[in-house]
Amino acid sequence: MEFQKENMEVEIISTKFIKPSLTTPNHLQNYKLCFFDQISDVTHLPLVLFYPPTNNINFSAHDEQLEQSLSRILTHVYPISGRFTEDNSISCQDQGVKFIKAKVNSKLNEFLEKAHKDVNLSLLCWPQDSWNAEASNLFAMPVVIIQITEFECGGLALSMSHAHMAMDGYSTFTFINEWSKVCRLKIPVEKIDFTSFELVDVFPTRDLSKLLLPRIPAEDRVESKLVAKRLYINEDSISRLREEVGDLCTFKPSRVEMIMALLWRALIRASEKKHGYLRRSLMNIPINLRTRLISLPQVEKSFGNLGVDAPLKFIPGENKMELHEFVTLIHDTVKDTIITCDKTSPEDIVSAVSNIYNESFLAQDWGGSDEVDKYLSSSLCKFPIQEADFGWGKPCLMHFGSRHDQVCWLYDAECGNGICVQVDLKEDYMHLFECDNDIKDFFQF
C-alpha cells in the first residue's frame, strides 16, 4: 500500500499487533470509562515526531528493541491494547496496538525543508487509519495505532494516533515519554510504574442524557479544506508583545496568554474580512485538571481524560478589540473555570463541568450557531514530549492534530526559547489570517 504527496511516496512494509508482554489479569479485563472520557471527542488524534539520522545508529537494528519496549510498557498501560465496547468500557483482552512499518522515498533533510514551508506534508507519516475514526466504527478500531516511517538517509518519523475517548494529551505525552525511557534505558517490565487508574472510581460512568444537552454534530471533515501552517515567535518578539500589553493588565500575563490573545484577535479579524462584519467567536482552551483539584490528590498521575475546556466568548460591542482586553479575557476565563471546577466532591465537579458545557459548547446560541466562529487553542508548552529520546536523540520537528477542527497548537520550539504555533484552519480563512498585520509583525513562517 502506498500514499503519495509532492512526489513523495510512503510504502507500507508491514503491519502487526504488539501485545503486552504479560497477560492482563482477568480482574482488569473490563476497563470502565470515566465521566471525562465520555465527554471527550469521538476521534483519533495523531502526533508525529521526526528524528534526524544519528551517527552509528541503525534504526532498522533497533526495531526489535522498539517493539519489545512497547510490549513491556503496554503491560502497565493495558487499556490501550484493548478495544472499545458499546457499554462505555474497553475490553482489555490484549488485542494489541496496531504497529505499522513504512518507508518513504525521500531524505529527511529534504523532507523537513519542504515540511517547514508546508507542514501538511507531515500527513504522509500519519497512520492513515486515523482519518476513518468516527462514532460508527470506533469500536472496531485499535485504541492506539503507531507507525514508524524510515527515510532514505536513516532518519525516521514516529507517529502515534490515539482515541481521544481513552486518553487526553497529558496521558499521551506521558506515555510516549515513558516509552522512550523504557526503550533507551532497557527498563524491565517490573520497574515500570508511572500512572494510575483511579478515575473511574472517582468519576464513574454517567447517563449523559441527564447531565448534558445533546452533542452538536461536528462539521464534516474535509482534508482539502483544512490546511495547516507552522509559525514561530522568537524571544525578542515575545518581549515586544509583553511591552505592548504588560502595563495595561492588572496581572503579569504569561507568554501563552499573550500569544493566544494575538492569535485569537487575528482570527476574529480574518472572519470580519470574510463576512464583512464582526462576528461572535467561541474559543475553547483545554485545561488539565490533575493538579487543579486540591481535594483529589490521588488523581494527579491518573491515566485517561481529566480536563475541562474553558469557554472564551467574544461578543462584538461588549468586548473591545484592544490586545490587552483579549489577554485579560483569556486570563480571567481560565482562572474562573478552574475555580468553578475545584469542588470538594466529585459530584459537584461533574455538575460544574456539565454546566460549563451546556452554557457554551452545547448551547444552540453558541456551539450550535452558524453565526459563531469556533476555535480551539491548546498549549502543549512544558509537556515532556520533546524529551522523547528512544536512543536516537530528541525529535527535530513535531506535528499534531486530526484536521477536523480549527485549532492553534502552541508548543516549545525545538531550538531556542521561542514558541511554535501550528494553526489548522479552513483554507479560505488561512490566507486572511496570514495577512493580518500582527501575524506578519510578530511571527515567522
Side-chain angles (χ1 to χ4, degrees):
M1 187 179 299
E2 294 183 354
F3 307 99
Q4 186 171 348
K5 196 179 183 78
E6 292 285 327
N7 297 320
M8 297 183 188
E9 291 185 359
V10 173
E11 180 184 355
I12 302 300
I13 303 302
S14 65
T15 299
K16 64 173 68 173
F17 290 89
I18 305 297
K19 302 181 179 183
S21 58
L22 300 176
T23 302
T24 301
N26 290 338
H27 70 282
L28 297 179
Q29 290 186 2
N30 185 37
Y31 175 81
K32 285 287 187 182
L33 299 180
C34 74
F35 165 75
F36 287 94
D37 296 326
Q38 289 180 278
I39 65 173
S40 62
D41 288 339
V42 182
T43 184
H44 257 249
L45 290 176
L47 161 71
V48 189
L49 303 176
F50 293 91
Y51 291 88
T54 304
N55 292 335
N56 302 320
I57 295 292
N58 184 341
F59 287 124
S60 298
H62 282 250
D63 283 351
E64 184 177 358
Q65 185 175 335
L66 192 65
E67 292 180 26
Q68 289 179 354
S69 61
L70 176 60
S71 181
R72 294 199 300 277
I73 200 169
L74 289 178
T75 299
H76 180 55
V77 195
Y78 58 92
I80 66 174
S81 294
R83 298 293 182 271
F84 286 105
T85 67
E86 297 186 10
D87 64 346
N88 289 309
S89 64
I90 297 177
S91 172
C92 304
Q93 299 186 39
D94 301 337
Q95 295 93 326
V97 164
K98 190 171 184 179
F99 191 85
I100 303 166
K101 293 181 185 178
K103 65 179 181 180
V104 61
N105 63 337
S106 171
K107 294 182 178 180
L108 182 61
N109 61 339
E110 296 171 352
F111 176 88
L112 291 178
E113 185 178 344
K114 295 180 180 179
H116 276 292
K117 299 175 183 176
D118 180 11
V119 294
N120 297 287
L121 285 176
S122 299
L123 303 183
L124 276 171
C125 300
W126 284 9
Q128 298 302 304
D129 295 21
S130 64
W131 286 106
N132 304 320
E134 54 188 34
S136 62
N137 66 1
L138 188 66
F139 306 112
M141 290 187 66
V143 176
V144 166
I145 307 170
I146 292 172
Q147 179 170 318
I148 307 297
T149 306
E150 188 167 357
F151 289 80
E152 290 180 343
C153 59
L156 64 76
L158 186 151
S159 178
M160 172 175 163
S161 182
H162 69 278
H164 199 340
M165 283 184 66
M167 54 201 300
D168 57 14
Y170 169 87
S171 295
T172 301
F173 296 148
T174 301
F175 171 80
I176 292 178
N177 194 40
E178 294 295 330
W179 175 24
S180 72
K181 292 179 185 177
V182 172
C183 182
R184 183 178 78 254
L185 303 176
K186 299 180 175 60
I187 299 174
V189 64
E190 65 272 12
K191 298 290 186 180
I192 302 172
D193 182 19
F194 63 90
T195 193
S196 59
F197 300 90
E198 286 97 356
L199 284 183
V200 71
D201 298 324
V202 181
F203 301 105
T205 304
R206 310 298 175 107
D207 181 353
L208 296 186
S209 66
K210 296 180 179 179
L211 292 170
L212 298 173
L213 295 171
R215 189 185 290 259
I216 296 169
E219 294 183 41
D220 291 336
R221 176 174 56 185
V222 181
E223 179 191 351
S224 62
K225 294 185 179 180
L226 278 172
V227 296
K229 293 285 185 179
R230 184 177 186 267
L231 314 179
Y232 171 70
I233 180 168
N234 61 32
E235 196 65 37
D236 289 341
S237 293
I238 294 173
S239 297
R240 282 198 294 122
L241 193 54
R242 188 175 298 282
E243 290 174 2
E244 181 175 332
V245 304
D247 293 339
L248 298 174
C249 296
T250 58
F251 57 92
K252 182 180 179 180
S254 70
R255 300 192 308 166
V256 167
E257 287 171 338
M258 293 188 299
I259 294 170
M260 283 186 175
L262 200 68
L263 294 166
W264 191 20
R265 186 172 70 167
L267 290 168
I268 291 172
R269 287 171 171 170
S271 174
E272 182 183 19
K273 289 181 180 178
K274 176 176 172 58
H275 296 281
Y277 63 95
L278 271 179
R279 286 160 53 96
R280 287 184 297 152
S281 182
L282 177 64
M283 176 172 278
N284 52 313
I285 297 181
I287 302 171
N288 178 14
L289 290 177
R290 286 171 177 80
T291 59
R292 313 281 191 176
L293 304 177
I294 299 173
S295 63
L296 299 171
Q298 70 270 32
V299 303
E300 184 173 346
K301 295 184 178 181
S302 55
F303 173 86
N305 286 276
L306 184 55
V308 63
D309 286 355
L312 280 71
K313 297 177 179 178
F314 172 82
I315 304 173
E318 291 187 20
N319 299 108
K320 298 178 181 179
M321 288 294 289
E322 284 78 8
L323 189 58
H324 72 276
E325 297 282 354
F326 282 91
V327 175
T328 300
L329 179 58
I330 291 171
H331 177 87
D332 290 349
T333 304
V334 170
K335 181 179 178 181
D336 290 345
T337 301
I338 293 170
I339 292 173
T340 299
C341 295
D342 187 17
K343 306 295 185 184
T344 302
S345 92
E347 287 292 332
D348 289 340
I349 295 171
V350 168
S351 178
V353 171
S354 299
N355 289 337
I356 289 171
Y357 282 39
N358 287 336
E359 294 171 2
S360 55
F361 313 117
L362 300 178
Q364 284 300 320
D365 59 338
W366 278 102
S369 174
D370 291 335
E371 291 298 311
V372 176
D373 297 311
K374 294 170 277 287
Y375 309 101
L376 183 148
S377 188
S378 181
S379 173
L380 310 176
C381 298
K382 298 184 180 180
F383 274 96
I385 191 63
Q386 289 181 330
E387 303 303 314
D389 180 359
F390 289 83
W392 324 314
K394 298 178 181 180
C396 61
L397 179 69
M398 296 180 284
H399 191 73
F400 309 93
S402 59
R403 291 292 203 285
H404 75 291
D405 282 323
Q406 300 194 97
V407 184
C408 297
W409 307 90
L410 282 68
Y411 59 98
D412 296 312
E414 295 87 355
C415 299
N417 296 319
I419 290 179
C420 292
V421 183
Q422 179 186 311
V423 183
D424 299 348
L425 284 181
K426 293 177 182 177
E427 197 166 15
D428 52 352
Y429 277 82
M430 183 62 81
H431 177 68
L432 297 172
F433 173 78
E434 289 178 295
C435 293
D436 183 86
N437 287 334
D438 283 344
I439 300 302
K440 292 190 293 185
D441 185 26
F442 286 96
F443 291 94
Q444 301 170 22
F445 287 85

